[in-house]
Amino acid sequence: MRGLGRSGGWVLGLLAVLGLFTVAAAVWRAEKLIPLIPRLQSDDYLQKKLNLPQWVRLDGVAPLAVSAILTSEDDAFYQNRGYELSSMWDAFKEDLRSLRFKRGASTITQQVMKNTLLNKRKTLSRKIEELILAQAAEKALSKDRILEIYLNTAQWGDKLYGIEEASQFYFQVPARDLTLEEGVYLAALLPSPVRYSRSFKKGQVSTRDQKVMDSILARMLALDLISSDQFEKAEAALLPFEAAPDLSPTPTPTP
């Protein structure tokens, strides 16, 4: 600190004041939004607010697809209180090293707050608001309701929101009929759906997508969410949009 001199001290002081102001403003904005959380109990309110074409109940989504998404996005969802301090700390250190908001480490509850009540800009103030609102949501809404909202508001492609829309778009089936491998593919898209859904347009799962899908399946097996037989079948299965390899024999050239 001595080496900074007076000018350096002023800089640190100014940064501290700005930091406190940012936190105070974020807390004030979050407190203003907390009364809106009970409205999230209404499907109609959310559909109109977010312009969602369809709404599917939690029990209208294939259980294995739900398990795949939880495994990928927040495998402690039913145990945590809407936030994971260890994950947030790891994300903060990574963001600090890269000097930008690179990793969010948001729980499903935090993502629901972002999707329904906040903007999607990656800023410190929004993360603070998200955290405060997530804790309030955990008190006002059931875990199943929060998960249902997430499945209906998450983005799965360019202008593609909600698991029912995603299921129909990628696989031409309702969400209740998703297979394990289809659910795992949708889970693998979630970190960056517009970017990662390019594999669908190419009709072939990318190397990156396959690694993520295998990782999700392995995690599900380790958590006893699927059997070894289900794991092996899903790992070997082709998705409906993938072209099956041509196994016909190559014709022998005529001499």
Side-chain angles (χ1 to χ4, degrees):
M1 292 294 293
R2 191 178 300 172
L4 287 173
R6 290 185 178 180
S7 60
W10 274 105
V11 170
L12 289 177
L14 179 60
L15 289 174
V17 170
L18 289 174
L20 289 172
F21 177 79
T22 298
V23 171
V27 171
W28 181 82
R29 285 192 296 267
E31 293 289 339
K32 292 287 186 181
L33 291 171
I34 286 176
L36 296 179
I37 291 176
R39 296 188 187 182
L40 304 184
Q41 294 280 17
S42 168
D43 300 349
D44 289 340
Y45 171 78
L46 285 166
Q47 281 190 271
K48 290 175 183 177
K49 184 179 190 296
L50 303 175
N51 194 28
L52 300 171
Q54 296 192 60
W55 190 274
V56 62
R57 295 289 184 185
L58 182 57
D59 59 9
V61 183
L64 284 176
V66 175
S67 293
I69 292 163
L70 283 172
T71 300
S72 174
E73 290 296 290
D74 187 359
D75 61 7
F77 171 71
Y78 279 100
Q79 289 76 47
N80 65 39
R81 293 180 291 176
Y83 61 93
E84 288 282 353
L85 287 178
S86 59
S87 298
M88 293 172 65
W89 176 243
D90 290 341
F92 172 75
K93 290 187 290 185
E94 187 174 333
D95 292 343
L96 197 60
R97 283 193 295 268
S98 61
L99 296 179
R100 64 189 180 95
F101 288 101
K102 184 178 180 181
R103 183 180 166 198
S106 295
T107 62
I108 280 178
T109 307
Q110 287 173 279
Q111 291 183 63
V112 165
M113 294 300 98
K114 176 190 70 176
N115 292 343
T116 59
L117 298 178
L118 299 170
N119 63 64
K120 297 186 179 183
R121 295 192 300 271
K122 293 183 178 181
T123 62
L124 176 61
S125 59
R126 198 216 74 199
K127 293 300 295 183
I128 295 169
E129 293 168 43
E130 188 181 283
L131 177 60
I132 294 169
L133 290 171
Q135 293 176 74
E138 289 279 334
K139 296 176 182 177
L141 307 172
S142 70
K143 283 286 191 180
D144 283 353
R145 179 58 182 174
I146 293 169
L147 180 56
E148 183 176 290
I149 295 171
Y150 176 74
L151 293 172
N152 281 282
T153 59
Q155 184 176 11
W156 264 287
D158 186 23
K159 299 177 182 179
L160 186 63
Y161 292 88
I163 194 167
E164 186 67 27
E165 288 287 298
S167 182
Q168 296 284 357
F169 178 79
Y170 290 111
F171 308 117
Q172 294 77 55
V173 297
R176 66 174 176 271
D177 292 336
L178 284 166
T179 64
L180 172 57
E181 57 270 19
E182 290 167 351
V184 169
Y185 176 75
L186 292 180
L189 295 180
L190 284 168
S192 186
V194 175
R195 177 182 174 188
Y196 296 144
S197 61
R198 293 171 188 167
S199 59
F200 170 77
K201 297 175 184 177
K202 294 178 180 178
Q204 186 67 45
V205 172
S206 68
T207 302
R208 175 265 166 202
D209 290 349
Q210 192 61 60
K211 286 182 179 179
V212 174
M213 291 171 67
D214 289 346
S215 174
I216 294 171
L217 283 168
R219 178 70 175 154
M220 292 179 75
L221 180 63
L223 293 171
D224 291 325
L225 298 172
I226 57 174
S227 66
S228 56
D229 185 55
Q230 288 174 305
F231 171 82
E232 291 170 5
K233 287 181 179 178
E235 194 176 40
L238 284 175
L239 291 167
F241 61 79
E242 292 187 274
D246 185 5
L247 301 178
S248 58
T250 304
T252 304
T254 305

